[in-house]
Amino acid sequence: MGEKDIAEKTLEAWNDVFADIVNVLLFKGKQVVKEDELETATPTSAFKAGKKLHQQERDVAKFWKNGEIKISLLGFENQSIADSKMPLRVISYDGASYKQQLLDKKLKKNFPVITLVLYFGEEHWKSAKTLFDCFDVPEELKPFANDYKINVFEIAWLDDETINSFKSDFKYVAQFFKAKRLEKIYEPTDAELKHMDEYFKLLSAVSGDKNFELLYNELKNETDGGVTMCDMFQKYKDAGKEELIIKMIESNILSIEQIAEITKLPVETIKALSQKVPVLK
């Protein structure tokens, strides 16, 4: 399992985050699903291909229940890039869940299976969204072949009204990816995150920028765990600025004094950073 998948699952597996995502994306912010109505489902299922038994695993799956009655199985699949075979993957997950219902002799009532594809890419999803998009279906067969659509939600393209409807930490995930798509500097609020650790692990993994998790861990050690979003993103900006200054020093085009003038930093600060450059030409 990749680091990115683990980070995504860790945040989304919290019931408050899971319910929030479902309520905003499926029910336009109406509080239909309550976090205490969710029960973690086994994400793994098996299928036989040839003589071998294979496993497939959803990213996150939970039963939505009313007491002991299961209303639905809800699943998330996270994507950073568009997958042209996503409908095939989703129908295999959903089909396995229906097969489990068929085999469950104790089940009193069947329930629907719904999968949400959470897409974090900066380009619109232009890949397949239905089974018919995955292959050519002869016109003669179309009346008899069943199509299957998937529910793709482009997180970086959500409008501000939708993003502000989120009540959990996922609001700040959506804000970050929208700012990233628009090539804007993300300006965090002073809001207190409930799942701070999982939030920064997610940003580190999905963005591919390891600084998030590294700097967050540094801040936790420096402040005995009292880390705010503003503290973290300020440290992140400072780290980016430091990296830029080091590159300017390495180029050996500008003098330390000139770099200090450009960056509006003291000469002593630039000299200190120059010590991090192994060899100056």
Side-chain angles (χ1 to χ4, degrees):
M1 186 183 300
E3 178 187 354
K4 176 175 71 65
D5 287 337
I6 294 172
E8 288 168 344
K9 294 175 187 180
T10 302
L11 180 66
E12 295 166 0
W14 288 98
N15 278 4
D16 65 307
V17 178
F18 192 99
D20 190 36
I21 293 171
V22 173
N23 285 330
V24 171
L25 298 183
L26 296 191
F27 307 122
K28 300 187 183 301
K30 187 177 180 181
Q31 301 304 294
V32 176
V33 178
K34 309 296 192 297
E35 58 180 290
D36 60 359
E37 296 173 341
L38 294 171
E39 178 184 289
T40 300
T42 303
T44 306
S45 57
F47 65 95
K48 194 171 184 180
K51 296 182 179 180
K52 292 185 178 181
L53 193 65
H54 301 267
Q55 280 193 335
Q56 58 183 9
E57 185 172 339
R58 288 181 178 274
D59 285 343
V60 189
K62 290 181 183 288
F63 292 114
W64 177 23
K65 300 176 68 176
N66 180 7
E68 293 303 312
I69 304 299
K70 293 175 180 175
I71 301 172
S72 177
L73 175 67
L74 300 165
F76 293 167
E77 292 302 315
N78 299 296
Q79 289 294 124
S80 293
I81 58 173
D83 184 351
S84 61
K85 295 186 178 180
M86 201 68 204
L88 296 173
R89 286 176 52 194
V90 171
I91 196 173
S92 69
Y93 296 139
D94 292 357
S97 297
Y98 285 121
K99 181 68 172 180
Q100 289 172 349
Q101 292 185 47
L102 187 64
L103 298 175
D104 187 352
K105 302 301 181 183
K106 297 180 180 180
L107 187 66
K108 296 180 180 179
K109 185 179 180 181
N110 295 109
F111 49 85
V113 179
I114 299 169
T115 299
L116 288 70
V117 178
L118 307 181
Y119 171 59
F120 296 92
E122 295 178 28
E123 301 292 332
H124 279 301
W125 181 286
K126 297 178 181 177
S127 290
K129 287 187 177 181
T130 70
L131 272 184
F132 283 10
D133 291 337
C134 296
F135 38 70
D136 294 326
V137 184
E139 288 298 324
E140 299 85 352
L141 291 180
K142 281 187 177 180
F144 310 102
N146 291 319
D147 203 354
Y148 199 84
K149 72 177 182 67
I150 61 174
N151 307 299
V152 178
F153 297 94
E154 301 176 317
I155 305 304
W157 292 84
L158 295 176
D159 58 58
D160 289 339
E161 183 179 357
T162 299
I163 290 175
N164 290 329
S165 297
F166 289 111
K167 299 182 182 301
S168 71
D169 295 350
F170 197 79
K171 173 191 288 186
Y172 309 110
V173 172
Q175 286 178 346
F176 172 80
F177 280 101
K178 182 168 185 176
K180 187 170 181 287
R181 174 181 68 81
L182 296 173
E183 298 182 345
K184 292 182 178 180
I185 296 174
Y186 175 53
E187 297 293 346
T189 67
D190 56 0
E192 183 177 342
L193 268 71
K194 188 175 181 180
H195 310 294
M196 183 81 77
D197 187 64
E198 292 87 346
Y199 171 78
F200 283 114
K201 283 181 178 176
L202 170 67
L203 295 191
S204 180
V206 178
S207 68
D209 191 335
K210 305 300 179 186
N211 279 327
F212 279 113
E213 191 171 356
L214 293 173
L215 295 174
Y216 176 62
N217 290 333
E218 283 182 21
L219 266 176
K220 280 200 299 185
N221 294 332
E222 293 172 5
T223 60
D224 296 324
V227 181
T228 68
M229 286 180 69
C230 292
D231 291 338
M232 179 60 207
F233 277 94
Q234 184 58 53
K235 195 170 183 69
Y236 181 73
K237 291 176 188 177
D238 291 344
K241 185 185 294 183
E242 180 177 305
E243 185 179 341
L244 178 61
I245 292 170
I246 288 175
K247 287 181 179 179
M248 293 170 72
I249 296 171
E250 286 177 328
S251 70
N252 203 28
I253 296 174
L254 301 171
S255 67
I256 286 177
E257 290 74 16
Q258 288 173 318
I259 295 174
E261 185 177 350
I262 291 171
T263 59
K264 308 300 182 186
L265 292 172
V267 171
E268 291 74 18
T269 301
I270 308 302
K271 285 182 177 178
L273 288 173
S274 70
Q275 301 304 310
K276 296 185 178 183
V277 181
V279 179
L280 291 178
K281 298 179 181 178

